[in-house]
Amino acid sequence: MTGPGAPVPEPAADLTSRVTAFVARLRVRHGFLVGPGEAADALRAAGVVNVLRKAELRDALRAVLIAGPEQRRVFDLEFNAFFVRDDQAPPPTLPPLLPQTEAPGIEQDTPPLPQNREEGKPSPKPAPPTDDEGEEDGDPQTLQAQPLGEGEDGPDDPDAPLQTVQTKLSPNASGGGEVEAGGGDLPDLLRAASALVRAVSLGRSRRLRPQARGNKLDARRTLRAAARTAGDPTELRWLGRPRRAPRFLLLLDGSRSMGRDATLLLRFAHALHLRSRRVEVYAFSTGLTRLTPLLRHAPLGQPLHLPDLGEAWGGGTRIGENLLKLARQERDRVSRDTLVIILSDGLDTGHMGELERAMRDLHRRAGGVVWLSPLAATPNYQPVQRAIKAALPFLDALLPAGGVDDLHALAGRLRRVTLG
Amino acid sequence: MSAATPAPSDLQTLFRERGYVAGEALATSLRLVVALGKPLLLEGPAGVGKTEAAKTLALALNTRLIRLQCYEGLDAQAALFEWNYARQLLHLRAAELGGHAVGDDELYGEKFLLARPLLQAIREDASPVLLIDEVDRADDAFEAFLLELLAEWQITVPELGTLHARSRPHVILTSNRSRELSDALRRRCLYHWVEYPTARQELEIVHARLPGMNEALARQVTAAVQTLRALPLGKPPGVAETLDWAAALVSLHRDHLDMGAIESTLGAVLKLREDQLLAAPTLQQLANKATEHLSGERAAAERP
């Protein structure tokens, strides 16, 4: 890999074809929304900067070709792969961000390698489940039959083997891998999602907006209307406080303990995303990943297929840490118009202090916080999991999510909850 | 390369002279705004200097800054133009009393037109910097309206006809990602993610903004802020908070960061009670280190 400022050896004439091929590669392999217009802009940008300085060329092309922070890492790696110096071996081919699609006229010469992680390192293998991992890998039914005491689902168990504790705490204790969430239940889930969108009511906005009927006279619009009648205010205009249109922020637990529930809830999140533009979806396990761009570009009518989610899927559960990360990085996404929905079984290996801080923060800033738990669908469920116990004071509702039926019933159950 | 377009290094210098320390990537993006005539979308955490970048660009290019602050419910009317109805009515009444008729051309003329930021921007003779701040707070409808304006740079006032931009503005949009912007808007813009500055850059910013500040105190403040950002805070401090904190300490005539100084000025840097409690032990450690360092320096200075 070349350092910043290293010269790019290709002659200028070749740069045009390389930039064009680079744009095509970003589009085909990674789903960047870049076409001929962006390619032309990229060439113009390359003409503005000093192309002999690699860092400058990279900054210029990056400004033109990426549309969000999620694309930056892929862009940088692909840029380094494309504009590598002649005396260096090319870096390994990156796996595509999106499922690879056939594009006529564009050569697909490099089959994707097995899922690589940062800088081409091989993906760490998921830690094999052990019998000692407490709730993480436990059977929900068994857990229900034998409620756990304080601390049994955490890493603080003094009797737990050291290796198990290290595995739980390690950020690399994640399974990762591509996510297949196929299922023919999309129509059912879409109906449930539509009902949910209709059911959520977060009260009225504090901002006065022009309305046909209201409780405050809109002097400006009344005057404006009066201009048509030579200044006589024959039509009165009103201001009112409209109902707040809800935004949804879904946090999906993708840890191993969620099992098949995770893919069902992922499909539900996708359905909700299809029903409303005001939906943000994140997945977490040991790490946190924003899924919204991936869901937006998922092809309709096909089973949901997501690329490697890394630490956000198939590992241990760190709810508090990831909620805090969300509160920090995406703070502005949570407002009084937001209904936060946490989809998790609450089997956590993180610190409860962090979870409490995050929940308090979300509770204070969001219009409502609802926790959907697959475990809550089991008969005689008791919220004894440490994470659920820590979160309960800050929840507007703890509701079951054990299957499609529960998701259908969600709208009705939420109507009985006072939010906002 | 256009002679009128400042090179990135020049732009960096121009920015630095005006108290803004811009990285190479940001300087390149800003230069492309000028060279390609495309809007630039700046995203990043609150307080990293997105708005300030637009203000500084206007200063660096020696042109006018026109700012449109977006909010929920902002409509095209409020962003483009309005007729001064009250003044039109007064004019009508005065004309009636004077006994002469008022025609449409007179009533809907420039005299009664209130130009809002977008109309002001396209009527400027020299390309202004148009800052569309916090575009994510505006509604989808307004975002869609912006698409047309950003593509064509013309607007239609029914009574006046279509107005074309006299000179294309340099447009900077900022977003705090409170909602997702449409792909259509993103595709029309260049994009740059503004990160928190490194410790070295932040020290340079403090020096640039508060030139008379004690060197040791500036180092302690920037080091403390960098340490605070590594904590799991609900609202990590931005560059604006660093500068506020430094200015508060300067106004209290402090020469180092002891616990008394921290306690009296903590509200300038940490704006949540929970964050203040979480950071208290870390700040105590930083204050102890600073005090020890200062004592050591003073003892060394007093030695013959």
Side-chain angles (χ1 to χ4, degrees):
Chain A
M1 196 177 295
T2 55
V8 182
E10 290 78 15
D14 191 38
L15 191 65
T16 303
S17 59
R18 303 228 44 191
V19 168
T20 311
F22 180 56
V23 172
R25 188 176 177 88
L26 290 177
R27 179 177 64 245
V28 173
R29 284 185 62 78
H30 302 291
F32 281 35
L33 292 173
V34 288
E38 282 72 20
D41 283 342
L43 287 168
R44 287 170 65 205
V48 170
V49 298
N50 180 359
V51 293
L52 296 178
R53 292 193 67 227
K54 185 177 172 184
E56 212 170 292
L57 178 65
R58 184 199 59 213
D59 291 342
L61 295 187
R62 192 199 283 145
V64 173
L65 297 175
I66 74 169
E70 300 89 357
Q71 294 177 333
R72 181 177 165 150
R73 180 179 154 267
V74 174
F75 174 90
D76 286 353
L77 289 171
E78 283 290 6
F79 180 87
N80 286 331
F82 239 78
F83 296 94
V84 68
R85 281 199 315 221
D86 287 342
D87 58 346
Q88 290 180 324
T93 308
L94 289 168
L97 264 187
L98 291 177
Q100 201 156 357
T101 53
E102 296 295 331
I106 294 177
E107 195 180 352
Q108 303 286 325
D109 55 350
T110 48
L113 292 176
Q115 298 304 312
N116 291 351
R117 306 299 292 275
E118 292 278 343
E119 302 292 336
K121 288 179 190 166
S123 173
K125 299 234 186 246
T130 65
D131 293 333
D132 301 311
E133 288 205 22
E135 287 186 13
E136 265 302 296
D137 296 303
D139 173 18
Q141 297 293 344
T142 312
L143 291 171
Q144 182 50 43
Q146 193 175 9
L148 290 164
E150 182 75 14
E152 281 189 53
D153 55 340
D156 310 327
D157 182 2
D159 296 326
L162 181 62
Q163 184 58 45
T164 305
V165 173
Q166 283 175 341
T167 304
K168 284 176 175 176
L169 292 177
S170 166
N172 296 323
S174 167
E178 295 185 359
V179 179
E180 295 286 350
D185 48 7
L186 185 62
D188 270 349
L189 294 176
L190 283 172
R191 275 195 291 278
S194 300
L196 176 62
V197 172
R198 285 195 301 270
V200 174
S201 172
L202 295 176
R204 292 188 177 275
S205 165
R206 288 197 302 177
R207 186 181 295 280
L208 288 167
R209 302 278 286 271
Q211 288 194 314
R213 290 177 187 176
N215 49 13
K216 191 171 182 343
L217 187 70
D218 186 345
R220 194 181 74 155
R221 287 173 63 241
T222 302
L223 257 182
R224 192 187 305 168
R228 295 183 192 137
T229 51
D232 294 328
T234 54
E235 287 181 47
L236 298 183
R237 302 297 168 99
W238 299 97
L239 292 169
R241 300 183 198 280
R243 288 195 180 280
R244 296 210 305 263
R247 298 175 192 273
F248 295 90
L249 193 147
L250 272 69
L251 285 149
L252 172 59
D253 183 349
S255 65
R256 285 191 300 272
S257 65
M258 287 287 285
R260 279 180 299 179
D261 293 319
T263 51
L264 170 69
L265 294 174
L266 176 60
R267 291 199 300 277
F268 178 61
H270 184 218
L272 192 59
H273 181 268
L274 291 172
R275 278 290 171 258
S276 170
R277 278 201 62 199
R278 299 157 71 93
V279 176
E280 282 291 335
V281 185
Y282 292 79
F284 67 88
S285 176
T286 47
L288 179 78
T289 290
R290 182 165 168 252
L291 297 188
T292 318
L294 301 174
L295 294 179
R296 190 186 312 131
H297 296 127
L300 284 175
Q302 293 176 26
L304 189 59
H305 173 99
L306 301 183
D308 184 5
L309 298 181
E311 294 176 358
W313 201 266
T317 318
R318 292 196 191 167
I319 305 177
E321 186 181 314
N322 287 306
L323 287 187
L324 268 180
K325 198 185 288 182
L326 178 94
R328 177 183 177 139
Q329 292 175 356
E330 310 285 358
R331 186 173 186 80
D332 286 316
R333 290 203 196 275
V334 184
S335 67
R336 300 302 296 171
D337 297 341
T338 311
L339 177 66
V340 177
I341 303 178
I342 301 167
L343 307 145
S344 171
D345 52 15
L347 308 180
D348 193 10
T349 59
H351 296 286
M352 291 306 105
E354 287 185 344
L355 178 64
E356 277 183 23
R357 280 194 65 221
M359 291 302 300
R360 186 181 296 117
D361 195 30
L362 285 175
H363 178 68
R364 195 178 57 222
R365 288 192 287 124
V369 184
V370 174
W371 192 304
L372 303 186
S373 168
L375 291 187
T378 53
N380 304 319
Y381 169 76
Q382 295 295 320
V384 293
Q385 294 77 26
R386 287 193 313 154
I388 297 281
K389 281 169 75 176
L392 263 179
F394 309 106
L395 293 179
D396 293 292
L398 171 63
L399 299 172
V404 178
D405 291 344
D406 281 332
L407 297 175
H408 271 291
L410 187 58
R413 286 169 176 154
L414 264 184
R415 276 199 192 94
R416 293 193 283 275
V417 177
T418 307
L419 299 170
Chain B
M1 195 177 295
S2 160
T5 308
S9 55
D10 295 337
L11 207 54
Q12 271 185 303
T13 311
L14 289 171
F15 268 55
R16 198 174 292 260
E17 285 167 1
R18 286 153 183 82
Y20 191 101
V21 179
E24 275 202 30
L26 177 58
T28 303
S29 299
L30 290 168
R31 182 160 179 242
L32 292 178
V33 171
V34 181
L36 304 187
K38 291 194 75 164
L40 171 65
L41 172 61
L42 291 177
E43 283 191 326
V48 290
K50 302 184 291 292
T51 302
E52 205 61 29
K55 289 182 184 172
T56 314
L57 181 66
L59 289 173
L61 298 177
N62 195 23
T63 187
R64 188 179 166 204
L65 174 79
I66 297 173
R67 178 174 180 170
L68 173 65
Q69 176 65 50
C70 297
Y71 54 86
E72 194 184 337
L74 173 67
D75 56 8
Q77 193 82 18
L80 271 175
F81 69 91
E82 282 186 280
W83 291 108
N84 190 339
Y85 296 105
R87 198 167 171 200
Q88 282 173 323
L89 280 176
L90 285 173
H91 185 74
L92 275 173
R93 290 285 163 90
E96 280 174 6
L97 291 174
H100 65 268
V102 178
D104 284 354
D105 289 348
E106 187 183 349
L107 201 56
Y108 291 103
E110 289 285 336
K111 199 164 100 177
F112 301 106
L113 188 67
L114 296 174
R116 299 302 184 204
L118 296 182
L119 182 58
Q120 287 173 23
I122 70 167
R123 295 171 87 190
E124 284 283 308
D125 288 326
S127 295
V129 171
L130 172 62
L131 167 62
I132 303 177
D133 212 6
E134 300 189 335
V135 66
D136 53 321
R137 301 210 180 276
D139 304 323
D140 293 348
F142 184 74
E143 191 185 318
F145 158 76
L146 273 184
L147 292 179
E148 186 187 355
L149 187 78
L150 294 179
E152 306 296 335
W153 282 113
Q154 63 178 39
I155 59 161
T156 302
V157 181
E159 296 83 2
L160 298 180
T162 301
L163 304 173
H164 298 272
R166 290 176 188 161
S167 51
R168 179 175 282 208
H170 309 303
V171 186
I172 310 284
L173 300 100
T174 72
S175 164
N176 289 327
R177 311 218 310 161
S178 67
R179 74 172 172 84
E180 191 60 16
L181 301 175
S182 69
D183 287 339
L185 183 70
R186 287 181 181 275
R187 284 193 71 183
R188 280 164 177 76
C189 297
L190 304 169
Y191 180 82
H192 183 78
W193 175 267
V194 188
E195 260 301 348
Y196 289 116
T198 61
R200 187 180 58 78
Q201 283 175 328
E202 194 151 31
L203 187 60
E204 283 183 47
I205 293 168
V206 171
H207 282 319
R209 288 299 178 92
L210 302 164
M213 189 175 179
N214 179 299
E215 171 70 22
L217 181 61
R219 285 185 182 279
Q220 287 165 8
V221 166
T222 49
V225 170
Q226 294 277 332
T227 308
L228 288 175
R229 285 198 195 117
L231 297 175
L233 300 176
K235 184 169 170 27
V239 179
E241 278 76 28
T242 308
L243 292 169
D244 284 349
W245 197 18
L249 291 164
V250 167
S251 69
L252 293 175
H253 306 292
R254 299 286 181 166
D255 62 352
H256 76 289
L257 206 59
D258 58 22
M259 206 51 207
I262 289 174
E263 280 171 354
S264 55
T265 56
L266 194 57
V269 68
L270 294 178
K271 310 289 177 73
L272 292 176
R273 180 67 184 143
E274 290 86 352
D275 286 352
Q276 292 184 348
L277 294 173
L278 182 80
T282 309
L283 289 168
Q284 180 73 58
Q285 287 172 8
L286 288 167
N288 292 344
K289 268 189 193 171
T291 308
E292 283 169 21
H293 182 70
L294 187 76
S295 307
E297 277 191 346
R298 281 179 182 160
E302 285 168 7
R303 266 184 230 125

